[in-house]
Amino acid sequence: MSSISELYDVCWEEMRDKLRKWREENYRNSEQIVDVGEELINEHASKLGDDVWIIYEQVMIAALDCSRDDLAWSCLQELKRQFPDSHRVKRLAGMRLEALERYEDANKLYDSILQDDPTNTAARKRKISILQAQGKSSEAIRELNEYLEQFVGDQEAWHELSELYINEHDYAKAAFCLEELMMTNPHNHLYCEQYAEVKYTQGGLENLELARKYFAQALKLNNRNMRALFGLYMSASHIAASPKVSAKVKKDNVKYAAWATSQISRAYQVRGCLPTSVGLHTIQVTFWPRLMSSNNCSN
Amino acid sequence: MAHLLLDSSIRLWVVLPIVFITFFVGVLRHYVTQLIHNEKKVDLQQVSDSQVLLRSRILRENGKYLPKQSFAMRKHYFNNPETGFFKKVKRKVIPKNPMTDTSMLTDMMKGNLTNVLPMILIGGWINWAFSGFVTTKVPFPLTLRFKPMLQRGIELISLDASWVSSASWYFLNVFGLRSMYTLILGQDNAADQSRIMQDQMTGAAMAMPPDPNKAFKSEWEALEIVEHKWALENVEEELMCQDLNFRGLFS
C-alpha cells in the first residue's frame, strides 16, 4: 500500500495546505482527509508545529465518519494529553461516543459541559444531533426551537431546522426558517432558490407567485442557477394554466414562461446540443420529482 | 528661524535608544498583560440579548428582501404594544459600582499597573537621564505656550518651540509605535495604549452595554419607523431585460 505522497508526488507541506483548504471550506471528503491526515500525523507530526492539534481534530472527525475508531481514539488521546480540561476536546470525546452509538454516555458528557459553561453552543447542538440520530425528529425539532430562542443568530441551526420541517412536510414553518436565512444573507442565491421551492411545494396561487418572484431573484443573483431557471418556468406556466387568474396576469406569465424557455434553449446551445420540445419535457418530468422528495440539497 | 546643528551622537545615543526602549517595553507589556489576563465570563442572558438586538437590526436593514407578510409578522413580534419582545422584556439591571464590584476593581488595577505605571516610570527616567539638551525638531511651528511642556530642562527664552526635549520624543514614540505593534503582534494587542484608554467593551454580539433596557428601547424606536419596501416588486422585469450570462456554466 503506497502512501499518498508517493501516489500523488506531493510533499508534506502541500498535504498540510490541502488539509487547511478542506478545513476552511468545510469539505466533507472524509476518506481523503483520513488518508492524507493519517500519513501526515504518522510521518511528519514533529514538522507541523502547533498546526498538529487542529489537524488531529480534523482527522478525528473524518475518522469517525469512516468508522476508523482506532485512528479516532489515538487522535483523541493526543488531544486529551495536550489539553486536559478543554470543552472542545470533551465535545470530540462525546462525538466518538455518538459514533459508537453510546448515546446515554454521550448525553451525560454533554450535560457536564453545559453545567460548566451554559453558553456552550457546540454541546447543545450535539445533543440535538443525538436526537436526530435516534430518529426522534419531533423532539429534535422541539429542542432546536428552544435552542434558537436563545441563540437567534445561529444560521447553521436555522438551516437544520428548515430541513427538519421539510422532512415533516411542515412547509410553512420551513419557509419561516428560510426567511431568517434570506434576511441574514440577502445575496445568497441558494437560500432564495430553496425558499422559492418550498413556496412552490406549498402550492396555491399566492405561493406560486411568491415562488416565481424568488426564483427570479435567485437568477438575478446568479445567472447560472439552472434549477432556478426551471423553477421560474414551472411556476410561471402553472400560474398561466390556472383558471382563476385574470387575463393580464395570464399574459404576463406566458411571457415569463416563454422567456425562460428561450434561456433554457440558449443554455443547451452553449453546451452544444439543441433540445427538442420533447426533450425539454422529459427534463422537467425527471427533474421536478427531486423537489417533492425531502432532500433539498442545494447544488 | 534658527538653524541649529545638533551633534550626531545625539542621534546615535538618544533618539535611537528611546525608540528601542519604547518598543521593547511595549512588547513586554503585551506579554505581561496576556499572562495576568483572566477570561471574561459571558452571561447566557447577555449573549442571547445581544443576538436578539442583532436580529432586529438585520430585520431593519434587510427586511425589504422578505415578503410583506413575513416582515410584518416579525415586526409585530418585536414591537407589538402588548406582547412585543421589546415592550415586554425588561431586564433587571444591577448598576455595577466600580468601587464595590470586585472583578471590575481587579481589572482596573491590573490595567493601571501594566499601562500607566511603566509609562510614568520610563517617562520620568528618560526625563532625568536625557535632560539638558535638545533632541529633535518637530516639522511644524509651535507657539510659545508649548515651550515649558516640550522643553523641560532647557531654559532658553529665544529657542524656537519646535525644538523639543527627549521626554516629548518619548511620548511621540509611545503613540507612534502603535502601528508597529499591529504589524508584529497582530491585531488586538495589549501594547496598544490608546485603545486601552477607551473604556468600552467591544465585540460583536458577545458583550452588552450595561443597560439592555435602553438598547431595547432604541431598537424599538428604530424598528417602528421602518417601512417595508419590497425589493422584489419588479424583479422579473429587471431580470428579463437582458439575456442570462452563462459564462462558466459548463466549465
Side-chain angles (χ1 to χ4, degrees), chain B residues 22-36:
Chain B
T22 323
F23 184 69
F24 284 120
V25 165
V27 171
L28 204 70
R29 245 200 347 248
H30 165 74
Y31 286 120
V32 167
T33 318
Q34 280 204 334
L35 277 176
I36 61 181

PDB file of all heavy atoms in Angstrom, chain B residues 22-36:
ATOM      1  N   THR B  22      11.149  52.250  24.059  1.00  0.00           N
ATOM      2  CA  THR B  22       9.689  52.306  23.997  1.00  0.00           C
ATOM      3  C   THR B  22       9.124  51.048  23.371  1.00  0.00           C
ATOM      4  O   THR B  22       8.161  50.458  23.856  1.00  0.00           O
ATOM      5  CB  THR B  22       9.238  53.510  23.156  1.00  0.00           C
ATOM      6  OG1 THR B  22      10.094  54.600  23.383  1.00  0.00           O
ATOM      7  CG2 THR B  22       7.818  53.876  23.480  1.00  0.00           C
ATOM      8  N   PHE B  23       9.759  50.630  22.278  1.00  0.00           N
ATOM      9  CA  PHE B  23       9.227  49.477  21.564  1.00  0.00           C
ATOM     10  C   PHE B  23       9.267  48.220  22.414  1.00  0.00           C
ATOM     11  O   PHE B  23       8.266  47.495  22.535  1.00  0.00           O
ATOM     12  CB  PHE B  23      10.022  49.281  20.274  1.00  0.00           C
ATOM     13  CG  PHE B  23       9.484  48.189  19.423  1.00  0.00           C
ATOM     14  CD1 PHE B  23       8.268  48.327  18.797  1.00  0.00           C
ATOM     15  CD2 PHE B  23      10.181  47.012  19.275  1.00  0.00           C
ATOM     16  CE1 PHE B  23       7.754  47.319  18.020  1.00  0.00           C
ATOM     17  CE2 PHE B  23       9.675  46.000  18.493  1.00  0.00           C
ATOM     18  CZ  PHE B  23       8.458  46.147  17.863  1.00  0.00           C
ATOM     19  N   PHE B  24      10.429  47.967  23.026  1.00  0.00           N
ATOM     20  CA  PHE B  24      10.537  46.715  23.777  1.00  0.00           C
ATOM     21  C   PHE B  24       9.702  46.732  25.032  1.00  0.00           C
ATOM     22  O   PHE B  24       9.150  45.705  25.433  1.00  0.00           O
ATOM     23  CB  PHE B  24      12.003  46.409  24.076  1.00  0.00           C
ATOM     24  CG  PHE B  24      12.718  45.906  22.876  1.00  0.00           C
ATOM     25  CD1 PHE B  24      13.815  46.596  22.363  1.00  0.00           C
ATOM     26  CD2 PHE B  24      12.289  44.776  22.215  1.00  0.00           C
ATOM     27  CE1 PHE B  24      14.461  46.153  21.228  1.00  0.00           C
ATOM     28  CE2 PHE B  24      12.929  44.331  21.075  1.00  0.00           C
ATOM     29  CZ  PHE B  24      14.017  45.018  20.582  1.00  0.00           C
ATOM     30  N   VAL B  25       9.579  47.897  25.666  1.00  0.00           N
ATOM     31  CA  VAL B  25       8.701  47.962  26.833  1.00  0.00           C
ATOM     32  C   VAL B  25       7.270  47.675  26.416  1.00  0.00           C
ATOM     33  O   VAL B  25       6.523  46.994  27.119  1.00  0.00           O
ATOM     34  CB  VAL B  25       8.810  49.348  27.504  1.00  0.00           C
ATOM     35  CG1 VAL B  25       7.668  49.566  28.455  1.00  0.00           C
ATOM     36  CG2 VAL B  25      10.122  49.455  28.234  1.00  0.00           C
ATOM     37  N   GLY B  26       6.884  48.160  25.233  1.00  0.00           N
ATOM     38  CA  GLY B  26       5.533  47.879  24.758  1.00  0.00           C
ATOM     39  C   GLY B  26       5.301  46.399  24.538  1.00  0.00           C
ATOM     40  O   GLY B  26       4.270  45.838  24.943  1.00  0.00           O
ATOM     41  N   VAL B  27       6.269  45.743  23.899  1.00  0.00           N
ATOM     42  CA  VAL B  27       6.133  44.308  23.656  1.00  0.00           C
ATOM     43  C   VAL B  27       6.062  43.552  24.981  1.00  0.00           C
ATOM     44  O   VAL B  27       5.239  42.655  25.179  1.00  0.00           O
ATOM     45  CB  VAL B  27       7.320  43.812  22.803  1.00  0.00           C
ATOM     46  CG1 VAL B  27       7.306  42.314  22.726  1.00  0.00           C
ATOM     47  CG2 VAL B  27       7.223  44.389  21.406  1.00  0.00           C
ATOM     48  N   LEU B  28       6.922  43.969  25.920  1.00  0.00           N
ATOM     49  CA  LEU B  28       6.911  43.330  27.241  1.00  0.00           C
ATOM     50  C   LEU B  28       5.549  43.488  27.902  1.00  0.00           C
ATOM     51  O   LEU B  28       4.992  42.550  28.481  1.00  0.00           O
ATOM     52  CB  LEU B  28       7.989  44.003  28.105  1.00  0.00           C
ATOM     53  CG  LEU B  28       8.526  43.166  29.253  1.00  0.00           C
ATOM     54  CD1 LEU B  28       9.344  42.042  28.683  1.00  0.00           C
ATOM     55  CD2 LEU B  28       9.361  44.023  30.165  1.00  0.00           C
ATOM     56  N   ARG B  29       4.993  44.692  27.797  1.00  0.00           N
ATOM     57  CA  ARG B  29       3.683  44.962  28.390  1.00  0.00           C
ATOM     58  C   ARG B  29       2.625  44.050  27.801  1.00  0.00           C
ATOM     59  O   ARG B  29       1.751  43.540  28.508  1.00  0.00           O
ATOM     60  CB  ARG B  29       3.313  46.420  28.099  1.00  0.00           C
ATOM     61  CG  ARG B  29       3.232  47.253  29.314  1.00  0.00           C
ATOM     62  CD  ARG B  29       2.442  48.509  29.132  1.00  0.00           C
ATOM     63  NE  ARG B  29       2.117  48.892  27.808  1.00  0.00           N
ATOM     64  CZ  ARG B  29       2.609  49.948  27.182  1.00  0.00           C
ATOM     65  NH1 ARG B  29       3.483  50.709  27.796  1.00  0.00           N
ATOM     66  NH2 ARG B  29       2.226  50.245  25.973  1.00  0.00           N
ATOM     67  N   HIS B  30       2.730  43.826  26.488  1.00  0.00           N
ATOM     68  CA  HIS B  30       1.751  42.972  25.826  1.00  0.00           C
ATOM     69  C   HIS B  30       1.773  41.579  26.422  1.00  0.00           C
ATOM     70  O   HIS B  30       0.733  41.012  26.760  1.00  0.00           O
ATOM     71  CB  HIS B  30       2.060  42.938  24.329  1.00  0.00           C
ATOM     72  CG  HIS B  30       1.361  41.852  23.596  1.00  0.00           C
ATOM     73  ND1 HIS B  30       0.011  41.890  23.314  1.00  0.00           N
ATOM     74  CD2 HIS B  30       1.805  40.699  23.059  1.00  0.00           C
ATOM     75  CE1 HIS B  30      -0.323  40.821  22.638  1.00  0.00           C
ATOM     76  NE2 HIS B  30       0.729  40.065  22.468  1.00  0.00           N
ATOM     77  N   TYR B  31       2.994  41.008  26.586  1.00  0.00           N
ATOM     78  CA  TYR B  31       3.061  39.636  27.090  1.00  0.00           C
ATOM     79  C   TYR B  31       2.661  39.546  28.552  1.00  0.00           C
ATOM     80  O   TYR B  31       2.005  38.598  28.970  1.00  0.00           O
ATOM     81  CB  TYR B  31       4.459  39.070  26.863  1.00  0.00           C
ATOM     82  CG  TYR B  31       4.700  38.740  25.412  1.00  0.00           C
ATOM     83  CD1 TYR B  31       5.727  39.344  24.696  1.00  0.00           C
ATOM     84  CD2 TYR B  31       3.869  37.850  24.747  1.00  0.00           C
ATOM     85  CE1 TYR B  31       5.926  39.065  23.366  1.00  0.00           C
ATOM     86  CE2 TYR B  31       4.061  37.570  23.410  1.00  0.00           C
ATOM     87  CZ  TYR B  31       5.087  38.180  22.720  1.00  0.00           C
ATOM     88  OH  TYR B  31       5.280  37.907  21.402  1.00  0.00           O
ATOM     89  N   VAL B  32       3.037  40.578  29.339  1.00  0.00           N
ATOM     90  CA  VAL B  32       2.648  40.560  30.748  1.00  0.00           C
ATOM     91  C   VAL B  32       1.131  40.624  30.883  1.00  0.00           C
ATOM     92  O   VAL B  32       0.526  39.918  31.687  1.00  0.00           O
ATOM     93  CB  VAL B  32       3.322  41.733  31.489  1.00  0.00           C
ATOM     94  CG1 VAL B  32       2.706  41.937  32.840  1.00  0.00           C
ATOM     95  CG2 VAL B  32       4.803  41.483  31.618  1.00  0.00           C
ATOM     96  N   THR B  33       0.499  41.475  30.053  1.00  0.00           N
ATOM     97  CA  THR B  33      -0.960  41.572  30.109  1.00  0.00           C
ATOM     98  C   THR B  33      -1.591  40.236  29.771  1.00  0.00           C
ATOM     99  O   THR B  33      -2.558  39.821  30.392  1.00  0.00           O
ATOM    100  CB  THR B  33      -1.474  42.627  29.124  1.00  0.00           C
ATOM    101  OG1 THR B  33      -0.630  43.755  29.167  1.00  0.00           O
ATOM    102  CG2 THR B  33      -2.883  43.020  29.455  1.00  0.00           C
ATOM    103  N   GLN B  34      -1.032  39.542  28.786  1.00  0.00           N
ATOM    104  CA  GLN B  34      -1.603  38.255  28.408  1.00  0.00           C
ATOM    105  C   GLN B  34      -1.485  37.252  29.534  1.00  0.00           C
ATOM    106  O   GLN B  34      -2.366  36.428  29.742  1.00  0.00           O
ATOM    107  CB  GLN B  34      -0.886  37.723  27.171  1.00  0.00           C
ATOM    108  CG  GLN B  34      -1.399  38.356  25.907  1.00  0.00           C
ATOM    109  CD  GLN B  34      -1.159  37.510  24.699  1.00  0.00           C
ATOM    110  OE1 GLN B  34      -0.234  36.702  24.686  1.00  0.00           O
ATOM    111  NE2 GLN B  34      -1.974  37.672  23.695  1.00  0.00           N
ATOM    112  N   LEU B  35      -0.368  37.326  30.285  1.00  0.00           N
ATOM    113  CA  LEU B  35      -0.168  36.371  31.373  1.00  0.00           C
ATOM    114  C   LEU B  35      -1.169  36.563  32.492  1.00  0.00           C
ATOM    115  O   LEU B  35      -1.715  35.613  33.020  1.00  0.00           O
ATOM    116  CB  LEU B  35       1.257  36.539  31.935  1.00  0.00           C
ATOM    117  CG  LEU B  35       2.340  35.802  31.172  1.00  0.00           C
ATOM    118  CD1 LEU B  35       3.681  36.137  31.776  1.00  0.00           C
ATOM    119  CD2 LEU B  35       2.101  34.307  31.256  1.00  0.00           C
ATOM    120  N   ILE B  36      -1.397  37.842  32.870  1.00  0.00           N
ATOM    121  CA  ILE B  36      -2.246  38.043  34.038  1.00  0.00           C
ATOM    122  C   ILE B  36      -3.691  38.330  33.644  1.00  0.00           C
ATOM    123  O   ILE B  36      -4.502  38.691  34.467  1.00  0.00           O
ATOM    124  CB  ILE B  36      -1.731  39.186  34.938  1.00  0.00           C
ATOM    125  CG1 ILE B  36      -1.721  40.497  34.178  1.00  0.00           C
ATOM    126  CG2 ILE B  36      -0.366  38.868  35.444  1.00  0.00           C
ATOM    127  CD1 ILE B  36      -1.201  41.632  35.019  1.00  0.00           C
TER     128      ILE B  36
END
